[in-house]
Amino acid sequence: MDSQNTQSEQTEFRYIDGRRFHNVETSMYHLPNDDNETNRLHLQHFLIRYLYQSNFSAPVNQILSKPGAKVLDVGCGAASWSFDIATTYPLAKVIGLDISPYQSTMIKPKNFEFVKGNVQERLPFDDNTFDFVFQRYLLFGITKEKWPHVVNELVRVLRPGGFLELCEPSGPFEAGPITKRFWDCESEILEERGCDFDLYQKIEEYARNQGQLENNKKESKRCYYGTVYNNVEFNKAVLNNLNYAYASLKPILSKKLQVSDEEYDELAKISEKESVEHNTYYHIVRVYASKVI
């Protein structure tokens, strides 16, 4: 690695306990953005797609099939969703926006472009630019007070007649004591940072109150950690995603829980076992609406 790339790496990222994180002081997002987290995000993407049997709920298939359609993926992360959409709809232009550029360049579709930006500030796009604006799993990255502003920004860059879709998860239900301990701790961390652990219950209201959206729809599905599904591989993938998540949260949660690395790893194993025994589940909520013409 040359000195220029090394300096860019040091400026762009910071390291905690061997994990790489973004280096944006104004962002609340506290998950890593290294290779292990990238693998988890790819896995998470395919879990959601399998559960919903689709990449989105908004009726935009026909729109995205037309030449010149423009799609914005806000908080694109590893760009799993963006790459999937760009591959499925080769006539569309897909832009992924994130605070950190860590998307793979080896498998990047030709019709995908990355733009660095922070939706809590202002999106670097003109009004009425995109046919479809998509945002998923940013409960860790956006403060409660900023959400009305964020939704306004998403709608501002959306073309009249275009669709906005938001997707957020809940915390676990029917959880055992160790699992509850983990997620109560995560909820406290989010509250301290000004974020909202119950965001999945609020996104429909944010969309409805925005003022320029109509035909609001909400869909919700349960994702179980147990053996509810008649699909062994899917069950295994859900648990793998849980374990990846615990590993990604370890630098933050272990300090908050005041436990050693070894104790944390043992608690994570107990939580995995609990989640199967209790048929623990969480909600994945999608809300979509069209911009008034």
Side-chain angles (χ1 to χ4, degrees), residues 77-97:
S80 312
W81 187 88
S82 288
F83 285 8
D84 206 346
I85 294 297
T87 303
T88 305
Y89 299 96
L91 299 180
K93 173 69 175 179
V94 180
I95 293 179
L97 180 135

Side-chain angles (χ1 to χ4, degrees), residues 106-121:
M106 301 296 292
I107 58 173
K108 181 177 76 69
K110 293 181 179 179
N111 55 331
F112 171 84
E113 176 187 350
F114 173 76
V115 174
K116 185 177 178 180
N118 188 340
V119 69
Q120 290 200 107
E121 296 170 0

Side-chain angles (χ1 to χ4, degrees), residues 72-76 95-97 119 123 133-136 138 154:
L72 176 63
D73 180 9
V74 177
C76 66
I95 293 179
L97 180 135
V119 69
L123 293 172
V133 175
F134 179 83
Q135 180 178 284
R136 183 170 72 188
L138 283 188
L154 300 180

